[in-house]
Amino acid sequence: MTAQDVPFPVNGLDSVPTLELDPLIDDPGTRIIVCCGAGGVGKTTTAAALGVRAAERGRRVVVLTIDPARRLAQSMGIDSLDNVPRKVDGIKGAGGGELHAMMLDMKRTFDEIVEAHTDPERARAILANPFYQSLSAGFAGTQEYMAMEKLGQLRARDAWDLIVVDTPPSRSALDFLDAPKRLGSFLDGRFIKLLMAPAKMGGRAGMKFLNVGMSMMTGTLGKLLGGQFLKDVQTFVAAMDTMFGGFRTRADATYKLLQAPGTAFLVVATPERDALREAAYFVERLAADEMPLAGLVLNRVHGSGAARLSAERARAAAENLEEGRMVDQAAGKTGERGSRATSPEPSDIATAAARSSHDDEAAPTAAYDTAAYGPAVQDIEQVQDIEQLTAGLLRLHAERMQVLAREQRTRDRFTALHPEVAVAEVAALPGDVHDLAGLRAIGDRLTAGRMPSA
Amino acid sequence: MVSGKGGTGKTTVAAALALALATEGRRTLLVEVEGRQGIAQLFETEALPYEERKIAVGPGGGEVFALAIDAERALLDYLQMFYKLGSAGRALKKLGAIDFATTIAPGVRDVLLTGKACEAVRRREKHGGYTYDYVVMDAPPTGRITRFLNVNDEVAGLARIGPIHNQAQAVMRVLKSPETAVHLVTLLEEMPVQETADGIAELRDAELPVGKVIVNMVRPHVLDEAAVRAASGDHRDAVAKTLAVAGITGGTKLVEPLLEQAVEHAQRVELEREQRAVLTGLDVPAYELPFLGDGADIAGLYRLAKELRKQGVDA
């Protein structure tokens, strides 16, 4: 029975289609995978893990990352900023696949566009212009524009059969779709043309209003920004003149590339409210722009092999054990033991449990007990330590089940909005990933299907 | 200023800080600048307009106001204030000049955002007292914070005369004064800690005042590695029996998954210990906020605010 056969799923998640990533990366028709989502959800790691997996399954892959963690970049050999893809060593697999990776240098990418589209003298003038320097060093939208520009370049080189792109940590989820157009239409737009050639415009009938608007505007902007700044802009615009048509065309071409059938978008999130809210926005925006969504990658999902034991029961049992211990000790011991027994703070439990595991480092109280009361009491002590330990296990479990319940709630909200979106779950790892082995492990988790009893 | 890597909960911490500072009749303004309406979602209110609105009360009659600053509106306000532009402002908008100034022109957008916040900081009531005792900004993430705050310097250099130049310089004076503190929110995980370390170095280079490191979502350490080792060894049966004593049936099957969870916990404790050591090495005072099992709802915000006050936030 497939999920679709269930008429009334008890749990919303049971009806969620599973996102199968192996078929996606194996399909030669898949040429571009774009990983997008809120900041801090693991986009870069997901992109890198998919790259490694696809390469080891035989594809020639290039991964374009925007802002990788330092150690991850080092382990992939892309921590030097030369803005070209580097081959990643250590890729296994008999399929003849290769992995290349690069980290985006947005200023350099912008410089390259300038150098490629104008003569050396003009290029020098543009690169030295203060306005250009600020614009290219990363003001609103430049990074997004350059990421898409680089994607277009990589695709045009046709040296790889799969490009995996990580998207910039944008102000908002929509920036990376909007910014290229915005920058393109600005550089190519009416305002810039007005700045450049008011005289030309003024000659034409019907342009009188614009001309009036123009002089008022340059006047105002001049006052606001200072005359020198406006001169810098005008010089920049004049020098860039020949390239303008190109910006709009390029922005349009990249946009079309993203809509093409060979492209697949993966929305990346964690089961947190904010991340899934961004994910929902993204899903809606991609649909509105007719961008092909493959599905949702849900990172850092918690599961439990003991899910049938509820948080409430676990906590109650832990309390039983802790209370029981206190009663024992109050009845059978002197005050000397009482101080330790009546402190149910987690750290104390941990310390006590740790102490018990190293007999040679036994705490003075334990040594005293053993000496005074002999082996029988040692057993009692051991029983008490086991009780403490078990109470700790139960408390941990209660905490885990609470996390599971919260994640379930946030996911149910997303599923209610977008039941059609296929989901791949990635079990939470205790630590960060910084090598190929770690990326491989993530790749396995990405493609493992539904987590057990999550 | 509250910054932090994406996913560390900086909006939540900024809101909790605004609440924590709103004690005993004090008034705080919580400001957001990225148009995400994170504050409204956190306080479960409708989207914030470009207008200061009371959204919460603190203990002893304190008040929290909130404002979502919109760069375009701030620029139009600004033009209106200085040039009485009125409908001409709309004409500028039509021509794309406002769009140019707020999204493309280097840093103007950021100057407008920080400028509006600084205006709120300096604003006074008729009787002469400040309108707000504190202004808390949910600022851009760590990777962009120095550029965001320092952009005024850059703009002051680019626009060498005129009101924008003056505005940029005035804002910079407030931002670099001891009245400002840039707090960085982090988790006890490698990447956020690394970003925090980088962020502190950048802020210090730019002579911007580093405030506190706020370690968020700290979980209690229930068991450590030694305890887990002990249990995984000879004591499985004993643990199963103890589970039965505590009233849990079928304990034998539970022991394995419970121990697995404990192993993960112990690993995380160890990683957290390493990251804590890195943070200690940064030599910046820290606050710690507990992990909220049920997520950051309003009750959670008040709990975090209380925690911040306990750690001396308004001292």
Side-chain angles (χ1 to χ4, degrees):
Chain A
M1 194 162 84
T2 67
Q4 281 82 1
D5 297 326
V6 183
F8 300 107
V10 183
N11 176 343
L13 262 170
D14 291 339
S15 63
V16 173
T18 303
L19 171 62
E20 304 280 358
L21 285 165
D22 275 341
L24 180 76
I25 58 177
D26 288 346
D27 180 358
T30 308
R31 302 297 304 276
I32 296 174
I33 295 176
V34 185
C35 298
C36 48
V41 296
K43 284 191 294 282
T44 307
T45 308
T46 302
L50 280 174
V52 170
R53 190 170 182 89
E56 298 196 332
R57 292 169 74 91
R59 300 200 65 180
R60 288 179 55 79
V61 189
V62 60
V63 176
L64 170 58
T65 70
I66 308 299
D67 192 16
R70 196 170 302 160
R71 280 173 68 184
L72 179 64
Q74 281 167 356
S75 74
M76 294 179 82
I78 53 166
D79 50 325
S80 62
L81 270 164
D82 55 1
N83 214 27
V84 291
R86 292 292 183 91
K87 185 165 183 236
V88 178
D89 295 327
I91 291 299
K92 296 173 185 163
E98 269 181 32
L99 178 65
H100 296 243
M102 69 167 287
M103 181 157 86
L104 179 78
D105 177 344
M106 68 180 159
K107 175 154 177 37
R108 193 136 171 179
T109 306
F110 209 151
D111 290 355
E112 284 165 10
I113 302 176
V114 170
E115 283 159 355
H117 290 86
T118 189
D119 56 84
E121 196 182 325
R122 272 191 159 192
R124 263 197 303 282
I126 293 172
L127 299 188
N129 183 287
F131 177 75
Y132 171 79
Q133 285 173 354
S134 301
L135 186 68
S136 62
F139 287 100
T142 307
Q143 196 176 36
E144 286 81 359
Y145 183 91
M146 291 308 138
M148 292 302 105
E149 172 66 30
K150 200 73 199 175
L151 169 63
Q153 288 177 12
L154 293 175
R155 185 69 177 77
R157 274 179 62 181
D158 215 22
W160 299 278
D161 57 31
L162 177 65
I163 304 171
V164 184
V165 202
D166 170 26
T167 52
S170 294
R171 220 177 25 244
S172 82
L174 313 176
D175 268 12
F176 106 94
L177 284 176
D178 291 333
K181 274 204 152 169
R182 211 162 50 205
L183 189 63
S185 65
F186 157 68
L187 290 174
D188 195 22
R190 188 155 59 151
F191 178 67
I192 282 282
K193 293 216 164 91
L194 283 170
L195 270 186
M196 282 174 62
K200 198 163 65 188
M201 302 290 257
R204 280 189 240 158
M207 287 290 174
K208 284 246 162 65
F209 159 74
L210 283 185
N211 201 21
V212 171
M214 180 61 208
S215 57
M216 181 194 74
M217 189 174 57
T218 41
T220 307
L221 283 178
K223 272 191 242 162
L224 266 177
L225 303 169
Q228 183 58 43
F229 175 70
L230 212 57
K231 249 183 229 133
D232 286 343
V233 176
Q234 281 174 320
T235 320
F236 166 75
V237 166
M240 295 277 280
D241 188 24
T242 50
M243 300 176 53
F244 281 150
F247 274 100
R248 169 67 65 79
T249 318
R250 297 165 86 85
D252 286 350
T254 309
Y255 190 81
K256 286 216 178 66
L257 187 62
L258 293 177
Q259 287 177 322
T263 301
F265 278 84
L266 292 178
V267 175
V268 186
T270 53
E272 301 292 331
R273 198 175 46 174
D274 292 348
L276 275 172
R277 194 190 297 118
E278 288 280 285
Y281 283 144
F282 240 115
V283 166
E284 288 150 25
R285 178 60 200 273
L286 291 171
D289 284 34
E290 294 172 23
M291 302 278 176
L293 173 70
L296 175 74
V297 171
L298 205 52
N299 280 329
R300 289 179 222 144
V301 176
H302 290 87
S304 173
R308 66 179 182 85
L309 177 61
S310 73
E312 292 72 22
R313 277 183 63 214
R315 199 168 288 128
E319 275 162 19
N320 267 343
L321 289 173
E322 280 155 6
E323 276 166 22
R325 201 171 75 233
M326 276 157 64
V327 171
D328 287 353
Q329 283 161 357
K333 300 280 165 183
T334 62
E336 204 170 342
R337 290 293 307 274
S339 63
R340 178 184 143 197
T342 50
S343 50
E345 288 297 313
S347 57
D348 289 2
I349 295 169
T351 319
R355 208 187 279 156
S356 73
S357 69
H358 299 291
D359 285 346
D360 51 341
E361 292 167 23
T365 47
Y368 166 77
D369 287 341
T370 311
Y373 299 97
V377 173
Q378 198 176 18
D379 286 349
I380 291 171
E381 166 133 321
Q382 199 172 56
V383 167
Q384 286 169 347
D385 285 337
I386 292 287
E387 283 177 358
Q388 286 170 358
L389 180 66
T390 309
L393 291 175
L394 288 165
R395 286 205 177 276
L396 270 183
H397 180 67
E399 192 188 285
R400 172 69 66 99
M401 291 309 288
Q402 197 184 3
V403 170
L404 251 69
R406 179 169 54 81
E407 290 182 354
Q408 189 66 59
R409 281 198 303 277
T410 52
R411 296 172 60 173
D412 283 348
R413 211 172 301 159
F414 178 86
T415 308
L417 286 171
H418 299 290
E420 75 289 355
V421 175
V423 179
E425 292 168 12
V426 184
L429 285 169
D432 283 330
V433 169
H434 7 70
D435 51 24
L436 285 182
L439 291 175
R440 246 174 235 130
I442 293 280
D444 289 341
R445 286 171 185 232
L446 265 168
T447 50
R450 182 98 0 119
M451 283 172 53
S453 62
Chain B
M1 299 283 173
V2 179
S3 179
K5 181 173 158 46
T8 58
K10 76 183 169 63
T11 303
T12 306
V13 171
L17 183 61
L19 261 180
L21 292 167
T23 49
E24 313 301 328
R26 290 200 175 115
R27 190 185 279 170
T28 63
L29 178 66
L30 176 61
V31 167
E32 89 179 337
V33 295
E34 305 221 294
R36 292 187 320 172
Q37 291 293 340
I39 295 174
Q41 277 152 4
L42 208 50
F43 284 91
E44 292 164 27
T45 62
E46 58 201 83
L48 293 173
Y50 181 61
E51 180 187 293
E52 289 155 39
R53 264 206 190 163
K54 186 163 144 185
I55 52 161
V57 288
E63 294 171 305
V64 179
F65 283 69
L67 168 69
I69 304 182
D70 172 81
E72 194 175 303
R73 287 285 304 274
L75 179 60
L76 288 173
D77 275 6
Y78 189 82
L79 292 173
Q80 185 59 28
M81 209 189 310
F82 285 92
Y83 299 100
K84 312 274 177 271
L85 276 180
S87 62
R90 284 196 291 280
L92 282 176
K93 195 170 170 176
K94 258 195 184 146
L95 282 169
I98 300 295
D99 206 28
F100 165 74
T102 54
T103 63
I104 309 284
V108 170
R109 186 194 138 80
D110 295 351
V111 176
L112 288 164
L113 298 174
T114 45
K116 179 70 191 172
C118 286
E119 183 271 318
V121 169
R122 286 175 296 186
R123 195 187 311 153
R124 287 176 184 273
E125 298 290 273
K126 281 194 195 92
H127 55 76
Y130 284 113
T131 304
Y132 294 107
D133 297 285
Y134 298 96
V135 175
V136 178
M137 184 190 281
D138 176 15
T142 325
R144 284 192 281 127
I145 185 68
T146 301
R147 187 188 291 278
F148 174 76
L149 296 176
N150 213 31
V151 84
N152 289 278
D153 254 1
E154 207 159 329
V155 165
L158 263 177
R160 280 177 217 114
I161 49 163
I164 288 275
H165 173 84
N166 297 340
Q167 160 100 353
Q169 287 209 317
V171 167
M172 224 52 232
R173 274 196 298 276
V174 174
L175 291 181
K176 289 193 173 175
S177 78
E179 292 190 307
T180 300
V182 184
H183 301 308
L184 297 173
V185 182
T186 186
L187 307 179
L188 287 175
E189 290 171 16
E190 192 177 323
M191 274 176 62
V193 166
Q194 180 63 54
E195 242 183 60
T196 302
D198 293 349
I200 288 169
E202 283 171 25
L203 287 166
R204 281 179 176 157
D205 279 352
E207 293 170 15
L208 287 160
V210 177
K212 301 272 198 308
V213 168
I214 302 177
V215 185
N216 197 18
M217 303 188 209
V218 177
R219 293 163 205 243
H221 291 173
V222 179
L223 291 172
D224 65 8
E225 216 176 322
V228 175
R229 251 202 323 272
S232 312
D234 306 332
H235 301 311
R236 282 162 199 266
D237 293 345
V239 170
K241 274 187 203 130
T242 312
L243 284 173
V245 169
I248 289 168
T249 50
T252 352
K253 276 187 191 154
L254 290 173
V255 173
E256 198 56 40
L258 288 181
L259 282 174
E260 261 169 43
Q261 285 171 193
V263 169
E264 281 173 32
H265 175 79
Q267 281 173 341
R268 209 183 56 217
V269 167
E270 181 54 25
L271 289 169
E272 288 185 356
R273 200 185 52 74
E274 286 168 24
Q275 294 311 316
R276 210 184 278 275
V278 176
L279 287 178
T280 308
L282 297 176
D283 205 20
V284 173
Y287 294 137
E288 293 209 358
L289 294 175
F291 175 72
L292 301 173
D294 290 323
D297 53 9
I298 293 184
L301 276 183
Y302 276 86
R303 194 178 145 206
L304 294 180
K306 202 170 156 191
E307 196 61 45
L308 283 169
R309 273 196 298 272
K310 213 160 67 185
Q311 295 178 35
V313 88
D314 63 351

